């Protein structure tokens, strides 16, 4: 009777090990689910550690006096550069941002002061003329309203609105609303200050945890490697490589594209002379962190402010924004993100809505990276479930023309 080799695990032992490791993974998942309200800061720290990992690796390979730079020293250099950048932002750019916000407030007050009854009637007559030339009979001025009352023919097919009374009533309602909710406004201001203080504390906490993740990255990877059966080690490494390609494209690529998008938007706003160029470019940069929806939301105020200075300027800046996103879609995304990180727009939209519903704005920011990980795992499992020839064809790409099978 032949004996089983000693290095080959018995089926029962292998089954027990798999059940034990599965129970460990399940217990970790249940713990994360039970404490999901405190998971987001640690997820943010892990994301920051992942973002700075290539830079930490490059710095740690540099030799100083014949010795490599420790990882903790490399991380301190990166954090120092980050805080220097934040300081320069506040010193050089925040005053510019404050001046533009003050300008917005002054122009809003000036516009409100110009809304005299005579000016309102002039605006109403201009709107009537513009609409009537396009076949839309609308009565907005007092003169047109009197004519609409006297002549029933125009009133039957037109729309009458006392613009002066409408604006006056709106201003009165807003003033009454502010007076009635003055206490709520004070409480809201206090809550904003408290939220800012809590946000600053959370930022330092997340950076501290990210430093721990980055310094002990090798030990963390080794620890999780012990939770995978040795016979599945090759599959786990291939899956991690696929996840890394997809996640690095989505996270690092999206950050790079945000900076490029904001810079090109700022250049276009300066070229076309759009007001509040720095403020609008800053909004476009941060909103670009949210794919699709962030781009649309940041483009709306840019086009509206440009339209206020003229139809041609609004059309020109809209064409510039479309050109930026065309360059992003057909050049930057393939070059920076790569095909491995490509997600279908439907998946991106679904993940954004799901993340916002579950965790609010923070969930929307994390939605696409999480979706990229899940899609990478799904695709890897799908390919593993196919026969070997199908997997080879899927990974090798299309056959050359001379090797294509003949058409039926």
């Amino acid at each position: 009777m032949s004996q089983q080799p000693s290095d080959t695990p018995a089926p029962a032992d292998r089954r027990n090990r798999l059940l034990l490791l599965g129970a460990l993974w399940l217990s970790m998942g249940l713990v994360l689910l039970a404490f999901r309200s405190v998971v987001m800061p640690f997820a943010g720290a892990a994301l920051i550690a992942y973002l700075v990992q290539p830079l930490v690796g490059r710095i740690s390979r540099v030799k100083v006096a014949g010795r490599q730079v420790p990882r903790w020293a490399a991380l301190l250099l990166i954090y120092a550069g980050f805080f220097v950048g934040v300081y320069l932002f506040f010193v050089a750019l925040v005053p510019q941002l404050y001046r533009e916000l003050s300008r917005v407030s002054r122009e809003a007050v000036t516009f409100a002061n110009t809304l005299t009854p005579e000016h309102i009637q002039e605006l109403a007559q201009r709107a009537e003329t513009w609409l009537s030339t396009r076949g839309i009979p609308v009565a907005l001025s007092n003169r047109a309203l009197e004519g609409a009352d006297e002549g029933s023919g125009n009133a039957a097919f037109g729309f009458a609105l006392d613009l002066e009374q409408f604006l006056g009533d709106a201003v009165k309602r807003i003033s009454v609303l502010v007076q009635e909710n003055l206490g709520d406004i004070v409480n809201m201001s206090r809550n904003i200050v408290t939220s800012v203080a809590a946000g600053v504390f959370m930022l330092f906490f997340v950076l501290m945890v990210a430093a721990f993740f980055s310094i002990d990255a090798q030990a963390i990877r080794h620890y999780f490697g012990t939770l995978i059966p040795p016979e599945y080690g090759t599959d786990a490494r291939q899956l991690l490589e696929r996840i890394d390609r997809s996640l690095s494209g989505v996270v690092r690529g999206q950050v790079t594209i945000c900076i490029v998008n904001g810079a090109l938007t700022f250049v276009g706003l300066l070229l076309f002379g759009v007001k509040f160029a720095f403020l609008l470019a800053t909004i476009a940069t941060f909103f670009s962190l949210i794919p699709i929806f962030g781009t649309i939301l940041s483009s709306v105020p840019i086009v509206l402010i440009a339209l206020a200075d003229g139809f041609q300027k609004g059309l020109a800046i809209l064409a510039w924004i479309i050109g930026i996103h065309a360059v992003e879609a057909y050049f930057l995304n393939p070059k920076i993100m790569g095909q491995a990180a490509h997600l279908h727009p439907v998946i991106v939209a679904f993940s954004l809505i799901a993340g916002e519903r579950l965790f609010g704005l923070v969930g929307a920011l994390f939605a696409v990276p999480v979706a990229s990980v899940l899609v990478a795992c799904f695709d890897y499992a799908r390919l593993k479930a196919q026969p070997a020839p199908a997997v080879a064809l899927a990974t090798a790409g299309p056959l050359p023309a001379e090797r294509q099978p003949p058409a039926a």
Side-chain angles (χ1 to χ4, degrees), residues 301-353:
I302 295 176
V303 176
L304 290 178
I305 292 177
L307 284 174
D309 290 336
F311 180 77
Q312 293 181 347
K313 181 180 289 189
L315 190 62
I317 197 63
L318 179 61
W320 179 271
I321 293 174
I322 293 175
I324 290 175
H325 298 304
V327 171
E328 175 185 331
Y330 296 104
F331 179 75
L332 294 180
N333 281 344
K335 294 294 183 180
I336 297 176
M337 290 189 174
Q339 295 298 327
H342 179 70
L343 293 178
H344 196 276
V346 174
I347 297 177
V348 174
F350 178 83
S351 62
L352 288 172
I353 294 175

Side-chain angles (χ1 to χ4, degrees), residues 351-367:
S351 62
L352 288 172
I353 294 175
E356 192 277 333
R357 291 293 179 87
L358 292 176
F359 297 101
L361 179 61
V362 179
L365 292 175
F366 282 90

